[in-house]
């Protein structure tokens, strides 16, 4: 995520900490905000950023950056490479591990699945990639008598079905796709009588977490109004989960 450049006037206010009458508390908050903006200036494919590039991305003077980077280095949030470039430090990886281990996917996803199944009156599932297959991690049944009977824990082919296409197509993030471009439909690929609508769910750094899917009979999904309503519901649910799991929901699902 590239931080929007700030004006030189705004930047200049950040260098007034020593002036008489300055509000120490406000300046402290501003320093924290600047430090966070530096950290979020790093992007997924960055192998290291020069001071000039960090200045361009944040809009901060190099003198301001050097002071903040020194503090971030002291606390291992940033590391400096031998060639002078900067990377995120080891503490960021550690915090990511803490976040992953503390996050209870079931507690976050199950309520959304239940609401989605109730809204669409179809089965809702959340699937993740398991090597060359997809695993049904969680599901919530709709009220239809005729439906797909797939148990939690079932391994399904990765190369067929809407959830499988989502897990392969967006394995490296959404790319330039946003909103409805992320929704994938499938009709009779794995089972000739079953259709599905799926969307990706992303976490921090646009990392793909899994695929959210609604399935039902082809007969019901051929109803254009019903299909349109399902697609809209799936996108709303995917946006909600992406936001809850730390992803950039506003930009991915505008």
């Amino acid at each position: 995520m590239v931080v929007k450049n700030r004006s030189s006037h705004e930047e200049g206010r950040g260098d007034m900490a020593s002036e008489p009458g300055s509000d120490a508390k406000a300046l402290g908050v501003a320093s924290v905000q600047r430090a966070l903006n530096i950290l979020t200036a790093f992007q997924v494919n960055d192998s290291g950023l020069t001071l000039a590039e960090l200045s361009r991305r944040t809009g901060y003077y190099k003198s301001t950056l050097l002071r903040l980077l020194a503090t971030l280095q002291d606390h291992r949030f940033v590391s400096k490479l031998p060639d002078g470039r900067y990377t995120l430090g080891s503490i960021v990886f550690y915090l990511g591990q803490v976040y992953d281990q503390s996050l209870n996917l079931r507690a976050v996803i199950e309520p959304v699945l239940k609401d989605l199944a109730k809204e669409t009156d179809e089965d809702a599932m959340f699937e993740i990639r398991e090597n060359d297959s997809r695993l049904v991690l969680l599901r919530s049944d709709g009220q239809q008598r005729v439906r797909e009977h797939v148990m939690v824990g079932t391994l399904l082919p990765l190369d067929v079905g809407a959830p499988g296409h989502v897990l392969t197509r967006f394995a490296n993030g959404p790319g330039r796709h946003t909103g409805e471009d992320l929704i994938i439909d499938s009709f009779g690929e794995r089972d000739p009588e079953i259709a599905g609508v799926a969307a990706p769910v992303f976490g921090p750094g646009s990392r793909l977490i899994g695929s959210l899917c609604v399935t039902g009979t082809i007969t019901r999904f051929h109803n254009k109004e019903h299909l349109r309503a399902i697609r809209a519901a799936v996108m709303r649910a995917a946006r909600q989960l992406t936001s809850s799991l730390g992803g950039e929901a506003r930009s991915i699902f505008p």
Side-chain angles (χ1 to χ4, degrees):
M1 177 176 67
V2 179
V3 180
K4 186 176 180 181
N5 287 352
R6 300 173 183 269
S7 67
S8 59
H9 178 66
E10 183 180 357
E11 167 66 31
R13 289 202 302 267
D15 294 331
M16 296 171 59
S18 60
E19 291 189 6
S22 295
D23 187 333
K25 182 177 180 180
L27 288 171
V29 171
S31 295
V32 172
Q33 290 175 335
R34 287 184 172 85
L36 292 174
N37 285 340
I38 291 172
L39 294 176
T40 55
F42 290 90
Q43 300 175 35
V44 174
N45 295 321
D46 290 334
S47 58
L49 298 179
T50 63
L51 188 64
E53 178 61 17
L54 278 170
S55 179
R56 186 190 70 81
R57 292 188 183 186
T58 61
Y60 300 154
Y61 294 135
K62 292 180 180 179
S63 57
T64 301
L65 282 171
L66 285 171
R67 290 198 301 272
L68 292 169
L69 285 167
T71 300
L72 290 171
Q73 282 181 263
D74 289 342
H75 294 276
R76 295 186 292 133
F77 281 93
V78 167
S79 295
K80 189 174 184 180
L81 300 175
D83 62 4
R85 291 178 301 147
Y86 293 91
T87 65
L88 291 176
S90 59
I91 197 67
V92 176
F93 176 78
Y94 169 74
L95 291 175
Q97 295 291 98
V98 172
Y99 175 83
D100 284 342
Q101 292 178 18
S102 64
L103 185 64
N104 187 335
L105 284 179
R106 180 182 296 275
V108 175
I109 296 173
E110 273 194 339
V112 177
L113 285 181
K114 289 180 180 179
D115 289 343
L116 185 58
K118 183 177 181 180
E119 179 180 357
T120 61
D121 203 22
E122 302 285 1
D123 296 341
M125 293 183 285
F126 189 82
E127 302 182 12
I128 60 173
R129 184 164 183 167
E130 184 80 8
N131 298 320
D132 293 328
S133 302
R134 51 187 171 101
L135 173 70
V136 180
L137 186 67
L138 298 166
R139 71 169 287 145
S140 182
D141 294 339
Q143 299 301 313
Q144 300 287 351
R145 290 185 178 181
V146 181
R147 55 188 175 85
E148 184 180 29
H149 295 277
V150 177
M151 303 293 292
V152 170
T154 300
L155 284 174
L156 298 172
L158 189 64
D159 59 346
V160 292
H165 297 320
V166 163
L167 292 173
T168 53
R169 185 175 301 179
F170 304 115
N172 296 318
R176 296 182 179 180
H177 300 282
T178 60
E180 291 188 0
D181 293 339
L182 297 166
I183 308 297
I184 296 179
D185 305 334
S186 67
F187 293 84
E189 288 188 27
R190 188 179 59 81
D191 185 313
E193 297 181 355
I194 297 298
V197 174
V201 172
F202 298 101
S206 296
R207 176 173 60 89
L208 180 65
I209 294 178
S211 174
L212 181 68
C213 179
V214 167
T215 65
T217 65
I218 281 185
T219 302
R220 293 196 299 269
F221 277 51
H222 273 320
N223 181 309
K224 292 183 179 180
E225 185 176 342
H226 186 52
L227 179 61
R228 189 181 305 113
I230 289 174
R231 287 174 59 88
V234 168
M235 188 166 74
R236 286 193 299 271
R239 181 193 298 120
Q240 180 181 347
L241 285 177
T242 294
S243 177
S244 298
L245 295 172
E248 295 289 338
R250 290 185 179 180
S251 59
I252 298 173
F253 296 99

